[in-house]
Amino acid sequence: MGVLNVTPDSFSDGGRFLDHDAALAHARALATQGAHWIDVGGESTRPRADPVPEAEELRRVLPVVEVLAAEGVAVSIDTRKAAVAEAAVAAGARMVNDVSASPEVAAVAAAGGVAYVAMHMQGEPATMQEDPRYGDVVAEVRDFLVARAQAARAAGAPEVWIDPGIGFGKTLDHNLDLLANLDALVVTGFPVLVGTSRKGMLGQLAARATPGGAAAPASDRLEGSLATAVWARLRGVAMVRVHDVGATVRALGAVDGVAAPAA
Ligand code: HH2
């Protein structure tokens, strides 16, 4: 899944694709590089991000969704708002990626007969990284996701995915615990999506690995993004959400080739 942020403030590419022509060109490039889905978002959910009004989010994403869907691109709409999801599905989006895993947004996917992603987030982007706490992060995230995914399926969503929400109300240790225990999600039977691409935890891990311990900025997290995508793949994750599609496709192609040499 390739990321297309039509936003001024996303943490790694904010402002680059706010212009609709630039957004379309980038989406087409990602599809050519091998993305199966293009995930179009009009609201940054990075830590401390402010919410975006509905009309503004629609203005950002809808023209892009319309054109890409008409070109036959498989579009996913990344939104927490039912009205945005509904308009995007009407414009041809075939997946709703909901970082709030809310029943209202799941109902839109069900009504539209499109795929639905339930992602786990503790709190709200504005404050979620202030003091995230869990008793057992893996069990709590799994139980939450299974409950929301079962509800989405019962409501009629034809295909339901789950995503642990790396970096959404989680410390580095919480993220590492979740990534080390992806099998707890995979065994639920719901297909699993994971997004680690360019995230802050990779900067922290790079600092641990580097003499001098400097944290890697978002522009320097490709290696960590690829390493964690490969890790997720080997743990049975069905899809990764990434900014660097070409490099990820090549990395996963290599690991698939090694894992199944006769194929
Ligand atoms: N991460 C981001 C946004 N949407 N959706 C899912 N399902 N899983 C994720 O891990 C996920 C997501 C954050 O990344 P990005 O879109 O690059 O940043 P921003 O929220 O600043 O636009």
Side-chain angles (χ1 to χ4, degrees):
M1 171 182 272
V3 179
L4 180 64
N5 287 320
V6 192
T7 59
D9 58 343
S10 287
F11 77 93
S12 78
D13 55 4
R16 286 190 59 202
F17 310 115
L18 194 54
D19 171 75
H20 286 163
D21 288 337
L24 290 171
H26 189 58
R28 291 176 187 128
L30 296 181
T32 305
Q33 289 164 22
H36 294 176
W37 289 92
I38 302 296
D39 190 39
V40 181
E43 177 189 47
S44 172
T45 46
R46 74 185 196 290
R48 292 174 294 284
D50 288 324
V52 174
E54 185 180 299
E56 173 60 13
E57 193 176 331
L58 281 168
R59 197 191 62 74
R60 291 179 186 174
V61 296
L62 215 50
V64 175
V65 171
E66 264 163 17
V67 173
L68 292 177
E71 291 177 2
V73 174
V75 174
S76 156
I77 179 72
D78 183 351
T79 187
R80 300 188 283 163
K81 297 186 183 71
V84 174
E86 198 171 349
V89 169
R94 287 190 253 152
M95 176 181 276
V96 175
N97 173 23
D98 176 13
V99 302
S100 66
S102 85
E104 293 73 26
V105 178
V108 173
V114 302
Y116 177 69
V117 180
M119 196 201 80
H120 178 275
M121 168 165 63
Q122 187 182 84
E124 290 287 314
T127 53
M128 66 189 178
Q129 288 307 108
E130 278 172 14
D131 187 22
R133 286 178 194 222
Y134 300 83
D136 178 339
V137 66
V138 175
E140 286 173 41
V141 168
R142 179 201 58 209
D143 292 352
F144 170 87
L145 290 175
V146 168
R148 294 299 167 102
Q150 282 173 343
R153 190 187 270 168
E159 182 181 317
V160 182
W161 291 70
I162 57 174
D163 182 330
I166 297 301
F168 284 84
K170 286 151 192 122
T171 63
L172 175 60
D173 284 344
H174 295 142
N175 291 324
L176 294 177
D177 220 351
L178 286 164
L179 288 170
N181 291 284
L182 285 170
D183 55 320
L185 299 182
V186 171
V187 298
T188 66
F190 291 101
V192 178
L193 169 65
V194 169
T196 56
S197 184
R198 300 184 185 170
K199 284 187 178 169
M201 62 163 282
L202 302 175
Q204 292 172 276
L205 291 177
R208 279 190 190 172
T210 310
S219 56
D220 255 352
R221 298 179 190 156
L222 176 62
E223 299 85 348
S225 302
L226 297 174
T228 47
V230 166
W231 169 269
R233 170 70 137 236
L234 292 173
R235 289 288 183 272
V237 161
M239 182 153 68
V240 286
R241 180 183 180 278
V242 303
H243 302 83
D244 301 287
V245 168
T248 307
V249 166
R250 291 189 290 277
L252 295 183
V255 81
D256 282 353
V258 173

